[in-house]
Amino acid sequence: MFVLVNLKTYPCDPIEVAEAVRDVDERTDARLGVAPQAAHLERVAETGVETWAQHVDPIEHGSNTGHTLAESVADAGAAGTLINHSEQRLKLADIDGSVRAADRAGLETVVCANNPAQIGAAAALGPDAVAVEPPELIGTGTPVSQADPDVVEDAVDAAASVDSDVSVLCGAGISTGDDVVAAADLGAEGVLLASGVAKADDPTAALEDLVEPL
Ligand code: G3P
């Protein structure tokens, strides 16, 4: 299972969380990564943790003030990037452009989507993975894998019917090892989570609980 921790713009210490993710990753068979804010990518990557960007724009080098260039993210040490997160929605053409930009820069891609229909559309753009996250469950602590298991199973089916090489993650409200196991049982190959770790008093303990059953 891939456990990807999105730090959003939470006021946590990105280095403290990155080091916790790195250390727990070394003690488990699960694959762990962290997605800090763009300005923290380089310092986070220097810890040795698998580092992900939260977003890249569908652009190339040139006149694009204020945008995030995939090559800069890769230069900063990122291995991959989220695209079209629920809090950074893009038009379909721009999702496609961001996937192409990430591919060009050698970044792994996870395209997020709200529901199975969107997952099918996202999978058709050829990312490495898609992540289904019902927006109404994000940040609630109510796990999608328990509150809405059908959405996870349907997302797995939707992605497989388009491209069997695209893996499926699920997210929203995931915070315990039981939630991760439930996600795996529904066919997800990973989870995308944020508040359960980024807002935890003890990120290491929260991560250990997440991977304990794996
Ligand atoms: O990117 C992960 C996210 O949107 C889910 O957030 O706080 O429900 O784990 P959370």
Side-chain angles (χ1 to χ4, degrees):
M1 283 293 273
F2 183 29
V3 177
L4 181 54
V5 180
N6 176 7
L7 301 187
K8 304 195 175 185
T9 56
Y10 285 129
C12 57
D13 177 342
I15 305 306
E16 181 193 350
V17 179
E19 289 175 344
V21 173
R22 175 200 63 197
D23 293 348
V24 173
D25 176 73
E26 287 169 2
R27 300 197 288 270
T28 176
D29 289 336
R31 171 188 175 193
L32 274 70
V34 65
Q37 294 170 51
H40 297 151
L41 280 170
E42 195 151 359
R43 284 196 298 138
V44 164
E46 282 168 2
T47 67
V49 74
E50 181 173 327
T51 304
W52 280 61
Q54 297 179 6
H55 166 78
V56 296
D57 283 302
I59 56 162
E60 301 179 355
H61 283 285
S63 306
N64 301 293
T65 304
H67 288 70
T68 302
L69 179 69
E71 281 79 356
S72 300
V73 160
D75 283 349
T81 185
L82 299 175
I83 292 169
N84 195 47
H85 189 276
S86 190
E87 295 147 11
Q88 181 64 287
R89 281 282 180 246
L90 302 174
K91 295 175 185 168
L92 188 62
D94 290 339
I95 300 171
D96 189 29
S98 291
V99 171
R100 304 293 142 238
D103 283 348
R104 194 183 62 221
L107 296 167
E108 196 172 332
T109 48
V110 172
V111 175
C112 303
N114 287 0
N115 56 45
Q118 291 178 22
I119 285 288
L125 300 175
D128 296 296
V130 289
V132 64
E133 292 199 315
E136 65 277 12
L137 294 176
I138 291 177
T140 62
T142 300
V144 59
S145 47
Q146 289 176 25
D148 204 349
D150 288 351
V151 86
V152 180
E153 283 183 321
D154 292 349
V156 170
D157 290 345
S161 69
V162 173
D163 183 345
S164 56
D165 289 336
V166 175
S167 55
V168 178
L169 282 57
C170 69
I174 305 281
S175 64
T176 70
D178 287 347
D179 301 341
V180 178
V181 169
D185 289 345
L186 294 166
E189 293 178 50
V191 292
L192 180 58
L193 71 143
S195 48
V197 171
K199 294 173 83 173
D201 291 336
D202 183 344
T204 300
L207 288 159
E208 281 172 340
D209 181 51
L210 280 161
V211 302
E212 196 270 330
L214 301 178

